[in-house]
Amino acid sequence: QVQLVESGGGLVQAGGSLRLSCAASGRTFSGVAMAWFRQAPGKEREFVAGISGGGGWTFYSDSVRGRFTISRDNAKNLVYLQMNSLKPEDTAVYYCAAGEVAGPRSTYDYWGQGTQVTVSS
């Protein structure tokens, strides 16, 4: 079992930055692949970024590559999503997820409750 708790969401103007955090507990964190997903109103949940257990591999969706950075601190059981150059279309509920293998098509077994990110134009 892995428990995930996101934080760091909020309201920001277009062009601004936010950093999301996800605190994990319940299992050896360094062995767990982590990812961020998001879901906008009326849309399906979509993959944003993923990172392998050791942090050596990262994956990004085309829509955020070059603007967002996923990272992790295995000593603190934390994963981050640094979001720069935010756009109104980035507005969504952002979810942290954990699984065995990182990647946009991997299965993630554990999910956080989500944190709202709103980007105003």
Side-chain angles (χ1 to χ4, degrees):
Q1 285 284 350
V2 178
Q3 292 79 43
L4 303 171
V5 178
E6 303 97 335
S7 61
L11 174 65
V12 64
Q13 288 188 332
S17 299
L18 279 176
R19 188 177 80 159
L20 305 183
S21 299
C22 175
S25 61
R27 183 176 161 180
T28 303
F29 185 62
S30 61
V32 179
M34 301 295 295
W36 288 95
F37 287 74
R38 67 186 181 187
Q39 187 167 20
K43 295 187 177 181
E44 293 186 354
R45 186 177 296 181
E46 65 171 347
F47 174 87
V48 175
I51 188 167
S52 60
W57 295 93
T58 56
F59 306 84
Y60 296 94
S61 69
D62 290 342
S63 61
V64 308
R65 186 176 292 111
R67 299 188 297 122
F68 291 10
T69 302
I70 188 170
S71 62
R72 64 190 298 159
D73 185 338
N74 285 346
K76 297 181 178 179
N77 285 10
L78 289 168
V79 63
Y80 304 102
L81 185 69
Q82 178 66 44
M83 305 185 294
N84 298 329
S85 302
L86 283 160
K87 304 175 181 180
E89 51 263 43
D90 294 318
T91 295
V93 177
Y94 283 70
Y95 297 90
C96 177
E100 297 295 330
V101 179
R105 295 180 179 81
S106 299
T107 298
Y108 293 90
D109 301 309
Y110 305 99
W111 295 81
Q113 82 288 351
T115 186
Q116 176 70 46
V117 171
T118 302
V119 184
S120 63
S121 58

